[in-house]
Amino acid sequence: LRKYGFSKIDALEPSIGMLNLARKRNLYRNYYNCYLTSDAIPDVKGCFDCVLTCGCFVPGHLPPDSLYDCLRFAKKDGKVVITKRANYGEPKYEQSLISLMEELEVNAKECVDNLEGKDYTGTINTTQNGLKCKDWSNTGSNMTLDTQRLLADQHNYCRNPDSDPFGPWCYTTDDDTLWETCDIPFCEGASTPGWAYWTHGWQKFEDSCYLIKYTKENWYGAKFYCKDNLDAYLAEIKTAGENNFLMSILPKPTIDDTDLEVWLGANTLNAKRRYIWKTSLTDFDFTDWGPGEPNGRSYEHCLSTHMYNDGKLHWNDRECLTKHFFVCEKSVGPSGCGE
């Protein structure tokens, strides 16, 4: 592997004796003492350029469907390499492994073609909030018998057996969360509703990157979420072009519907009681207030979006403790917006 340019190499091995021998020779970066299962090192997924197995895919060692777990560790464009002795195996096992490889080449994609994603057959096994998925064979009475049979061999991968309109999901191992939607990226050229696309990563406009969070927080919670989790800040709109860009990709509620409003990064909680952008501490050079806004209500001090009678999103003053979606912003980095 080093000969071919790989320098950061990790090892997974169920035998502690074998791992200790490798440690003595200082062969690897990390050493994982566990079996290759759907539960193995859950925090490591989509990290490796190459996943290499040596003498593992043979009868009595790994079943053919452990190939799914190898795929879980590989990057989107990574490689999975299986090595073994040519004369070590048995025909039925070999055919099962080959059939699975052929099926994966045709069907398996780590993306969805539409929001529903009913045909998703990839290996993502965590939810949009990072919760670990429960194995479908261990969901008890939560599913019908027909659905249990349908998903019996799907491990703990995100699936959409009931055509949920918000996409693949899974039951979780978290005691407080029975199930949750998974964050599956859209395939290139996929048919997606405008707002759904933006839930899946940072998007660039001029020198900034924007991420719409479809998690509801009050204004203060939104501000701290951007800062603490994303090293970002609530979006600050400085120009008409930036405003047009953001308004075009935000969710479009019906007129006067407050359910899909979005927090922006300004409020009047300062000595002069005027709106300023709270991260840059600057006054507004551009505004897009809705008709009659800000309306001066004494308890509305924070900036959000709202759909008005003209059928367009505009700025609105809103009570800071109400909970809405929000937009985080950060500067474009050396490698772009990243994930």
Side-chain angles (χ1 to χ4, degrees):
L1 288 174
R2 296 187 191 282
K3 178 181 177 181
Y4 287 98
F6 295 97
S7 58
K8 298 177 181 178
I9 307 174
D10 294 352
L12 183 149
E13 167 60 54
S15 168
I16 189 63
M18 293 292 288
L19 275 186
N20 286 337
L21 288 174
R23 282 194 179 96
K24 289 180 180 179
R25 299 180 63 184
N26 196 29
L27 293 176
Y28 303 107
R29 179 183 60 171
N30 295 309
Y31 299 81
Y32 298 104
N33 181 215
C34 58
Y35 287 93
L36 180 62
T37 66
S38 60
D39 296 330
I41 42 179
D43 295 333
V44 179
K45 66 175 184 178
C47 296
F48 296 101
D49 295 298
C50 179
V51 177
L52 172 67
T53 68
C54 299
C56 299
F57 281 93
V58 294
H61 286 66
L62 290 178
D65 61 5
S66 289
L67 186 56
Y68 284 109
D69 299 306
C70 294
L71 291 172
R72 177 165 57 87
F73 294 136
K75 290 181 178 179
K76 181 178 179 181
D77 297 320
K79 307 293 184 184
V80 175
V81 180
I82 297 173
T83 65
K84 66 184 187 67
R85 289 165 55 183
N87 61 347
Y88 190 75
E90 57 98 8
K92 186 176 180 180
Y93 180 96
E94 296 290 331
Q95 187 55 51
S96 295
L97 183 59
I98 292 171
S99 296
L100 179 57
M101 289 178 178
E102 292 174 345
E103 178 184 341
L104 287 171
E105 287 180 351
V106 174
N107 297 322
K109 296 187 296 185
E110 292 298 349
C111 58
V112 292
D113 292 314
N114 51 56
L115 182 59
E116 186 176 286
K118 187 170 176 60
D119 296 329
Y120 174 70
T121 56
T123 60
I124 292 175
N125 62 355
T126 53
T127 71
Q128 60 186 4
N129 287 314
L131 300 179
K132 182 180 175 182
C133 292
K134 182 182 290 186
D135 196 295
W136 290 102
S137 64
N138 189 33
T139 55
S141 59
N142 292 316
M143 298 187 299
T144 65
L145 289 177
D146 285 343
T147 304
Q148 289 181 36
R149 284 191 287 267
L150 177 67
L151 298 173
D153 61 348
Q154 297 301 301
H155 300 278
N156 65 338
Y157 305 131
C158 300
R159 296 291 184 261
N160 194 1
D162 59 347
S163 301
D164 188 296
F166 290 99
W169 56 276
C170 69
Y171 292 106
T172 82
T173 58
D174 182 80
D175 291 337
D176 297 322
T177 307
L178 177 62
W179 68 275
E180 191 169 67
T181 302
C182 299
D183 191 13
I184 314 295
F186 286 105
C187 302
E188 185 175 353
S191 172
T192 63
W195 67 264
Y197 176 79
W198 294 91
T199 64
H200 293 276
W202 292 94
Q203 301 299 320
K204 180 179 178 295
F205 177 78
E206 295 184 345
D207 296 327
S208 289
C209 305
Y210 303 86
L211 180 70
I212 301 173
K213 289 299 297 181
Y214 285 83
T215 301
K216 290 195 173 183
E217 300 281 355
N218 63 41
W219 190 92
Y220 309 100
K223 177 178 181 289
F224 285 119
Y225 184 98
C226 292
K227 180 177 183 294
D228 295 342
N229 294 282
L230 302 171
D231 194 23
Y233 52 91
L234 275 179
E236 300 188 351
I237 300 176
K238 305 297 181 63
T239 67
E242 183 181 14
N243 187 71
N244 291 338
F245 168 75
L246 280 177
M247 297 302 145
S248 71
I249 56 91
L250 291 177
K252 304 299 188 294
T254 56
I255 293 173
D256 287 333
D257 177 16
T258 62
D259 191 52
L260 298 182
E261 291 188 359
V262 175
W263 286 126
L264 300 173
N267 65 35
T268 62
L269 301 175
N270 54 76
K272 294 185 177 180
R273 287 290 187 260
R274 70 171 185 265
Y275 271 97
I276 64 171
W277 298 114
K278 294 300 288 186
T279 296
S280 62
L281 299 178
T282 56
D283 292 315
F284 289 173
D285 292 324
F286 164 86
T287 62
D288 184 26
W289 292 108
E293 303 293 351
N295 57 22
R297 291 175 181 167
S298 61
Y299 53 86
E300 294 184 334
H301 298 293
C302 291
L303 182 64
S304 74
T305 61
H306 185 78
M307 180 67 77
Y308 288 85
N309 288 330
D310 61 358
K312 296 180 180 179
L313 288 171
H314 297 285
W315 298 4
N316 175 49
D317 54 344
R318 179 65 69 193
E319 183 181 1
C320 301
L321 293 180
T322 56
K323 292 188 175 183
H324 300 297
F325 302 141
F326 53 98
V327 187
C328 299
E329 179 180 354
K330 66 180 181 180
S331 297
V332 175
S335 59
C337 289
E339 295 298 325

